[in-house]
Amino acid sequence: MKLTRNLWPLGIIAAFVFLFSGIATVITIAATHRETLVSENYYENELKFQTQIDGAARAKEAGAKLTYDAAGGRILITVPVAQLAQKFSGTINLYRPSSSALDREFLLEPGKEGTQTLNVSALAAGPWRVRAAWKSGGQDYFLELKFVVSK
């Protein structure tokens, strides 16, 4: 008489081994995955978004401009000269969406004619955002420009 071997128990054990090894792999990947937000205070920035919208409307109305010159590798920021006579303070942020380690921040210090130039030729190639925010006469102003540095 020929005995046949039942393979069901072996198949069930193999399925559980594959299942547990898959779960262990997923847990290992999840535990070693670096979790970073692009901005440390991302959620606070999102709450301030309406302020940025209002500031952008005021900046456009006042005639402020933000331009990128790819050939010269520079950013030109122009603010109305009348705002410089009032209490004026501001910052310029160069924001890299893919890596917060590449972000840069500068003071917004336009000259007498209301312009400031930033040399960005040394920035890493890829997409960038420049954000200029300032206060003048008790009002907030905001400009943002997306640009791509190509090498």
Side-chain angles (χ1 to χ4, degrees):
M1 171 170 208
K2 186 175 179 185
L3 294 174
T4 60
R5 190 165 197 185
N6 189 358
L7 298 178
W8 276 103
L10 189 60
I12 292 172
I13 291 172
F16 277 116
V17 168
F18 284 127
L19 176 69
F20 289 128
S21 64
I23 290 172
T25 302
V26 168
I27 289 173
T28 303
I29 291 171
T32 59
H33 181 67
R34 219 175 118 228
E35 186 178 309
T36 59
L37 293 174
V38 176
S39 174
E40 287 298 320
N41 46 358
Y42 173 80
Y43 297 108
E44 291 175 24
N45 291 344
E46 286 299 316
L47 293 175
K48 296 177 184 176
F49 189 62
Q50 185 60 45
T51 306
Q52 289 179 355
I53 292 171
D54 296 340
R58 276 193 288 282
K60 183 178 179 182
E61 183 180 308
K65 295 178 189 167
L66 183 59
T67 57
Y68 172 63
D69 176 17
R74 61 190 178 132
I75 294 172
L76 180 65
I77 301 163
T78 306
V79 296
V81 178
Q83 290 183 358
L84 298 176
Q86 302 169 5
K87 188 175 180 182
F88 185 90
S89 65
T91 59
I92 303 166
N93 291 310
L94 293 175
Y95 169 75
R96 177 68 181 239
S98 62
S99 174
S100 63
L102 296 175
D103 292 353
R104 304 281 182 262
E105 185 169 326
F106 304 95
L107 286 176
L108 180 58
E109 300 172 319
K112 294 176 187 175
E113 66 282 349
T115 61
Q116 181 174 351
T117 304
L118 284 178
N119 184 359
V120 293
S121 60
L123 292 178
W128 286 85
R129 287 184 186 174
V130 60
R131 295 174 174 160
W134 68 95
K135 280 188 172 227
S136 178
Q139 294 287 328
D140 291 328
Y141 296 87
F142 180 79
L143 290 174
E144 182 176 32
L145 176 70
K146 296 177 185 179
F147 66 98
V148 177
V149 174
S150 57
K151 300 274 177 167

